[in-house]
Amino acid sequence: MQDEEFMRAALAEARRGLGQTSPNPAVGAVIVRAGKIIARGYHHRAGLPHAEIEALRALPKPALARGATIYVTLEPCSTHGRTPPCVEAIIAAGFRRVVIGTIDPNPSHAGRGVKLLRDTGIAVTTDVLEAECRALNAAFNHWIVTKMPLVIAKAGMSLDGRITRPPGEGQWLTNAVARKDAHRLRSQVDAILIGAETLRQDNPRLTVRGVRGARQPWRIVITRSGKLPKEAHLFTDEHRERTLVYREKSLRTVLRDLGKRQITSVMIEGGGGVLGEAFDRRLVQRAHFYLAPLLCGGPAVVVKGLGVGSNAEAATIRNATYTRLGDNLCLTGEVEYPAPVPAA
């Protein structure tokens, strides 16, 4: 279908803004006239013009919008925020038709833009490549509804689920290809979270390296004692002002506070105790695990926690994908928990 073809072009535009727009969603738009794309646009950063406005500005002549069709991956905004509502600009431009990938997940706004457009006589088609458009902004969709960031559990491990490093093998279990992919993932989240023991043992930088134009995520440390090495990279490097420390706070409390700070996604990178609490409390929505072809043994496991009494009580990975990265394997998917949900 032609609508799907043009929506894929809009999705390609939206992906150009991934990792750059938070707390706004990544959105793309294309303008079509006589069966051809005549302008493209995407949302570059929060506070800057939205995708629809960027596409309108890319037109060779503003008058070409009149009678044309605009494809946009997310329902156009209908309220004033940092920028004026895109619905008003679409109406003023004289579009004949608007094709929308997915409806705004914000319960206060959902469907409002569609109604305003239709009330002025503009033809509106919705839910074109809806699943792909919705998946593009999984973090924003989760945060705008729950007020808590989407949580990704990420770890590099041996085949026996250990993060113990073989003696003399340096810092890494995974290969260079897997580590490059992990930096790509870092570039798309708002924050990276670790426990105090990981800070003490590894002194990580938690920076994004090798990804052009990437933002530096917030770096979050949770600690019971507050006894952290003052010389750690997180407290002394050029990104030290993007480091937050939470003392004697539950993980759920920390995530709620991060949500209030408009942090829409958090990647937990360790250690096993923090990941264990996250899974025990059912706070993880996605898993991203890198497996190296090693059998390390030892006490340092990826996920500690309380454990489960039976397989029926275990979290499962839904819609799993497996990607080969050299001799490493990357497993990603959505985390699903059996009912009932435990008390906080």
Side-chain angles (χ1 to χ4, degrees):
M1 288 179 60
Q2 211 173 36
D3 280 352
E4 292 186 355
E5 175 188 347
F6 292 131
M7 189 58 72
R8 285 192 179 91
L11 276 166
E13 290 297 310
R15 292 188 184 101
R16 297 176 67 184
L18 277 176
Q20 302 295 321
T21 63
S22 185
N24 290 355
V27 182
V30 297
I31 297 174
V32 175
R33 190 177 186 90
K36 294 183 179 180
I37 296 175
I38 59 173
R40 303 169 186 262
Y42 71 97
H43 185 38
H44 291 247
R45 196 179 297 274
L48 295 182
H50 291 182
E52 300 93 321
I53 308 304
E54 292 284 2
L56 279 167
R57 291 179 177 178
L59 283 170
K61 296 179 181 179
L64 290 174
R66 189 159 299 279
T69 299
I70 185 168
Y71 290 77
V72 59
T73 56
L74 180 67
E75 179 182 10
C77 63
S78 55
T79 57
H80 282 269
R82 297 189 193 184
T83 59
C86 291
V87 165
E88 292 182 3
I90 290 171
I91 293 170
F95 283 102
R96 176 184 63 85
R97 183 171 177 241
V98 178
V99 182
I100 297 168
T102 186
I103 300 300
D104 190 334
N106 188 334
S108 300
H109 301 160
R112 188 170 184 270
V114 171
K115 183 179 185 304
L116 290 171
L117 292 169
R118 284 176 173 161
D119 284 349
T120 64
I122 296 175
V124 179
T125 301
T126 63
D127 298 333
V128 175
L129 298 185
E130 192 272 340
E132 292 94 325
C133 292
R134 177 165 37 85
L136 184 74
N137 289 299
F140 171 80
N141 298 343
H142 180 83
W143 171 74
I144 201 68
V145 173
T146 67
K147 308 304 180 186
M148 291 176 65
L150 180 87
V151 175
I152 303 167
K154 176 261 178 183
M157 70 183 84
S158 60
L159 291 177
D160 52 348
R162 298 301 199 273
I163 53 176
T164 309
R165 296 180 184 87
E169 292 296 323
Q171 188 177 3
W172 308 109
L173 285 174
T174 54
N175 65 21
V177 183
R179 296 197 298 274
K180 182 178 180 180
D181 188 72
H183 280 284
R184 176 194 59 81
L185 184 62
R186 278 183 178 178
S187 75
Q188 296 179 0
V189 300
D190 291 347
I192 304 166
L193 185 148
I194 61 171
E197 193 58 26
T198 296
L199 180 67
R200 297 186 193 105
Q201 294 294 325
D202 298 344
N203 189 20
R205 296 181 184 275
L206 305 184
T207 53
V208 179
R209 300 184 289 279
V211 181
R212 187 176 180 181
R215 294 184 313 157
Q216 171 58 43
W218 285 94
R219 303 174 303 184
I220 315 300
V221 183
I222 56 176
T223 174
R224 291 189 180 89
S225 68
K227 297 178 180 178
L228 302 173
K230 294 180 180 179
E231 69 279 6
H233 295 308
L234 300 191
F235 306 133
T236 58
D237 69 9
E238 67 270 31
H239 304 298
R240 56 189 175 274
E241 293 184 359
R242 290 185 69 79
T243 298
L244 297 174
V245 176
Y246 289 87
R247 182 179 178 184
E248 296 182 340
K249 302 290 184 183
S250 71
L251 184 55
R252 188 184 297 275
T253 299
V254 171
L255 292 172
R256 283 176 176 157
D257 185 70
L258 294 178
K260 291 177 182 178
R261 293 173 180 263
Q262 297 190 324
I263 290 175
T264 67
S265 56
V266 172
M267 185 158 67
I268 301 179
E269 292 206 13
V274 178
L275 283 169
E277 180 183 354
F279 280 103
D280 284 345
R281 296 299 181 188
R282 304 186 175 201
L283 296 171
V284 179
Q285 285 77 48
R286 292 193 62 84
H288 205 105
F289 292 144
Y290 298 93
L291 286 83
L294 303 170
L295 295 166
C296 296
V301 297
V302 172
V303 179
K304 293 180 181 178
L306 301 175
V308 297
S310 68
N311 288 347
E313 299 173 29
T316 57
I317 306 300
R318 186 163 53 88
N319 298 326
T321 61
Y322 303 85
T323 305
R324 186 171 178 175
L325 301 170
D327 63 354
N328 285 199
L329 186 69
C330 180
L331 164 64
T332 64
E334 303 164 23
V335 179
E336 189 173 77
Y337 304 94
V341 176

